[in-house]
Structure formats: structure tokens, C-alpha cells
Amino acid sequence: MNIILFGPPAAGKGTQAKRLVAERGMVQLSTGDMLRASIASGSELGQEVKAIMDRGDLVTDAIVVRLIEARLPEADAGGGAIFDGFPRTLAQAEALDAMLAARGSQIDRVIRLKVDDTALIERVATRFAEQGRADDNPDSFKVRLGAYNAQTAPLLPYYEAQGKLVDVDGMGTIEAVASAINAQLDL
Ligand code: AMP
């Protein structure tokens, strides 16, 4: 089974993806994690994307599609993928469908975590204080939220039209959100 965890930045996608990996043996494919690893390694790609990420903008579709494509074999071997933070544009969603179709696979479900903007802003302020992630500063976060609303939220009708979109209340505790996601996956 391949799923997309969908939602604005700081909605809890990464937390829930890691739990699903531990409980279900699926493979988490987070483009944000891959890009941060490139920055940490000092690679050419890392140097190219650092300023873009720090200010909260999206990197190009070509970069993230290439990163995901390289990791799809792992997901095949591991019983399915949890796409976390990808796709974020319609071009990425179409590329993902094509890459999966070429492997005889598909997206089975898109789980949208719904969280109020005020709660997101509070969460990210706490995360910034605790972890100091550059793009969690208030100015960058505003840009990230803007990118989500302008470029990523328009994907919702794309997946709704395919009958794959399910909404989960992302405002509860980690456990409550986890059981709501599990209920959708076990249908
Ligand atoms: P995330 O950890 O998913 O919030 O991603 C952190 C940052 O990485 C984003 O703000 C973007 O700059 C970049 N990024 C991650 N995934 C994507 C994607 N699918 N498309 C474009 N940029 C991305």
C-alpha cells in the first residue's frame, strides 16, 4: 500500500510517518528529510537548495521528483511508501502517478491532516525554540504556509476526483491522530 500524508507544514506528517514505519514496516519517503540530509552532507545539491529552504520557498519539481524516483525501489521492497511532504505541486503529483504506474503501482490513499493555522503557528514556535530549525522562524514559516495554500492545497481536488482523499482531524493528541489514521488504513 502506498499512501500520501498530506497537510500543511507542522501538521504532524513526519511524526505519524515515523510511527507507521515502526508499526507497519512501510518506508517513509520525506523529501524534506532528503533535502536536509543533502545540506548536512555539504553536497552540490545541498548548497543549491539551502537558501531556498531557509526562506521557506519550494525547491524545483525536477529536484524532488529525482530524489523520490531514486528511492522508489526501497518502497517496493518494504511493503509500500508513506510519502511525506511530497507531492507539493500538481506537476509533482502527475510525475508521481506516472512513476508509480511505470512500476505497476499506484497511490492507494491520501490522508489529509487538518490542523488550524493558529495551532500550526503555535506548534512551530515551540519547535523553533526546541530545535532551532532555520525554516521554522516566523518569517519563513509564513512563506511555507503561503506555499502550501497557493501550490499544494490545490492538489486536494486532484486526489478527491480519484476517490483517494480522506480527512483526518490533526488537532488531537499524537495517539488520537494515530488511531484515526489507522482506522482509515484498515478499511
Ligand atoms: P518539510 O520538511 O517537508 O516541511 O520540507 C522542508 C522544505 O524542503 C520545504 O519548505 C521546501 O523548501 C523543501 N521541500 C520539501 N519537499 C518539497 C517538495 N515536495 N517540493 C518542493 N520543495 C520541497
Side-chain angles (χ1 to χ4, degrees):
M1 175 184 281
N2 295 308
I3 68 169
I4 297 173
L5 282 181
F6 198 94
K13 302 186 296 290
T15 302
Q16 294 297 334
K18 287 185 175 58
R19 175 190 66 80
L20 289 166
V21 169
E23 291 175 9
R24 293 178 185 248
M26 297 166 83
V27 175
Q28 177 190 13
L29 295 182
S30 158
T31 39
D33 284 353
M34 294 175 206
L35 292 165
R36 279 185 289 277
S38 301
I39 293 175
S41 75
S43 70
E44 205 172 305
L45 173 64
Q47 292 171 36
E48 188 184 335
V49 297
K50 185 175 185 322
I52 300 168
M53 286 176 68
D54 282 354
R55 67 171 183 263
D57 283 325
L58 297 186
V59 309
T60 65
D61 293 333
I63 288 175
V64 287
V65 167
R66 202 168 65 221
L67 288 172
I68 285 287
E69 190 164 30
R71 300 283 297 274
L72 286 179
E74 259 175 64
D76 286 348
I82 305 156
F83 295 95
D84 161 12
F86 180 93
R88 267 173 150 102
T89 65
L90 190 57
Q92 292 176 25
E94 289 171 347
L96 178 60
D97 280 349
M99 287 188 287
L100 290 174
R103 312 178 73 83
S105 186
Q106 58 165 17
I107 292 296
D108 297 292
R109 222 151 291 168
V110 179
I111 310 246
R112 174 205 195 180
L113 298 180
K114 293 187 83 172
V115 182
D116 294 348
D117 281 6
T118 26
L120 292 174
I121 290 163
E122 276 169 27
R123 277 185 194 186
V124 97
T126 309
R127 191 164 77 178
F128 187 50
E130 287 172 2
Q131 299 173 19
R133 193 175 129 177
D135 61 352
D136 278 345
N137 79 74
D139 286 342
S140 298
F141 191 69
K142 218 178 284 171
V143 176
R144 289 165 67 199
L145 214 45
Y148 174 78
N149 288 321
Q151 292 167 272
T152 307
L155 286 183
L156 292 166
Y158 177 81
Y159 288 115
E160 195 162 29
Q162 296 183 15
K164 293 178 178 168
L165 184 66
V166 288
D167 280 351
V168 162
D169 179 3
M171 296 284 290
T173 61
I174 290 175
E175 293 73 23
V177 176
S179 61
I181 292 174
N182 285 344
Q184 291 297 340
L185 297 183
D186 294 335
L187 279 180

